[in-house]
Amino acid sequence: MTLQQLKYVIEVARSRSINKAAQSLFISQPSLSNALKELEEEIGITIFLRTNKGIVITQEGSEFLGYARQVVEQAELLENRYTKTRSLQQNFSVSGQHYAFAVSAFVRLLKEYDREEYEFTLRETRTYEIIDDVKNLRSEIGILYMNDFNKHVISKFLREGNLKFHELFEAKPHIFISSSNPLAKQDYVTLDDLDPYPYLSYEQGEYNSFYFSEEILSTLTRPKNIKVSDRATLFNLLIGLNGYTISTGVISHKLNSKDIIAVPLKVDERIHVGYITHKNVTTSKLGNIYIQYLKESIDEELR
């Protein structure tokens, strides 16, 4: 087993394609395939399953990747510490639901990160894809919520992916609306108050089960529904159509317009927001810093 083989495995897992990984590594596809086959034969496990849709990481492969990443990271630290011939590019990736505090923490991490080269990724994406990203090590950290309704299903997927949920805070439900919305002056709103207004929610693609919804109370029937895929569009529609969405009430006015406000929603529900990590992977230095910034951003925005 060589360090180069470990780097090959990590790149294939990141690309989810042997062909794309070979291009990134500047080697031929047959050479990469042979290197992977030799490694799998040497260690006696199958790391990747080859399918018509691309590469699938096996459960044993996922565990192996966790150790491989640690070895490669330690080797890079040694090289950087003792050779000092170049500045190593650092990689860090987060996948999450559409939370402003996650972006705030990411912005702070980048502002205070003093390197000439880096490749950071922040994916605001669907619930299932967050779990899948962390499970398959495309992201080190995933950010999502659980409540009484979805926790059994989400927890099942986390167990199967060997993932752990770490709670950040508990929130009472709020609606996000335009500051010009007629409901903006109320101390709180009820579900009946919301009936005349368009309801906006994030589409979940193939995995559009109620349990994967980014919004609580997903099983309720509403007369006016709009699905969106990104936060900017959702906020524009909140303002343009006097729509509403349901969330935690935590909103960053440093990053978002003050035209969007949060109003408490009078329902007997609680939202538990947290981050997920892979049990087989030690959190990196960047990961720990980001988690700390997450907590500080939440504290600032809850004041």
Side-chain angles (χ1 to χ4, degrees), residues 25 33 37 66 70 72 142 197 229 249 257 268:
L25 294 165
S33 296
K37 183 179 179 181
Q70 293 180 57
V72 170
Y197 302 95
S229 60
S257 168
D268 187 20

Side-chain angles (χ1 to χ4, degrees), residues 212-230:
F212 287 109
S213 173
E214 189 166 330
E215 302 80 20
I216 65 168
L217 305 175
S218 57
T219 59
L220 296 183
T221 301
R222 298 171 173 89
K224 303 175 183 178
N225 294 274
I226 302 173
K227 298 283 187 181
V228 300
S229 60
D230 67 274

Side-chain angles (χ1 to χ4, degrees), residues 48-201:
F48 301 112
L49 295 176
R50 286 75 168 171
T51 71
N52 293 333
K53 295 183 179 180
I55 292 296
V56 176
I57 305 171
T58 65
Q59 184 172 352
E60 288 180 314
S62 180
E63 183 176 0
F64 178 82
L65 271 161
Y67 289 112
R69 287 183 182 276
Q70 293 180 57
V71 171
V72 170
E73 286 176 2
Q74 291 299 318
E76 289 178 346
L77 287 172
L78 282 171
E79 183 179 353
N80 193 43
R81 173 67 177 84
Y82 292 106
T83 63
K84 297 183 180 179
T85 56
R86 63 185 179 93
S87 176
L88 292 172
Q89 184 185 74
Q90 287 286 311
N91 295 277
F92 179 66
S93 182
V94 176
S95 296
Q97 293 174 331
H98 300 75
Y99 296 121
F101 63 82
V103 180
S104 297
F106 198 80
V107 168
R108 183 175 173 186
L109 180 67
L110 282 167
K111 283 184 175 180
E112 299 189 14
Y113 186 68
D114 186 20
R115 284 289 184 94
E116 293 181 0
E117 296 183 22
Y118 56 78
E119 183 175 329
F120 284 15
T121 303
L122 175 59
R123 298 185 66 218
E124 288 191 328
T125 188
R126 300 161 178 167
T127 303
Y128 178 84
E129 292 174 0
I130 296 166
I131 297 171
D132 194 59
D133 282 349
V134 180
K135 172 184 174 181
N136 291 307
L137 308 178
R138 288 189 294 276
S139 287
E140 182 175 340
I141 293 169
I143 302 169
L144 47 73
Y145 86 92
M146 290 200 289
N147 68 348
D148 288 342
F149 175 73
N150 73 1
K151 67 180 180 181
H152 297 297
V153 172
I154 298 296
S155 295
K156 175 179 178 291
F157 276 84
L158 296 184
R159 286 194 302 272
E160 291 174 351
N162 209 17
L163 308 177
K164 183 178 181 180
F165 179 81
H166 313 259
E167 184 166 326
L168 287 166
F169 68 100
E170 177 186 305
K172 295 180 180 179
H174 288 65
I175 60 166
F176 286 161
I177 55 174
S178 164
S179 58
S180 62
N181 188 298
L183 299 175
K185 296 179 181 180
Q186 296 188 192
D187 292 332
Y188 63 86
V189 296
T190 66
L191 291 172
D192 289 339
D193 292 331
L194 299 172
D195 274 348
Y197 302 95
Y199 170 63
L200 289 96
S201 60

Side-chain angles (χ1 to χ4, degrees), residues 193-211:
D193 292 331
L194 299 172
D195 274 348
Y197 302 95
Y199 170 63
L200 289 96
S201 60
Y202 291 105
E203 57 93 14
Q204 295 295 325
E206 180 182 354
Y207 294 90
N208 60 352
S209 160
F210 293 132
Y211 298 107

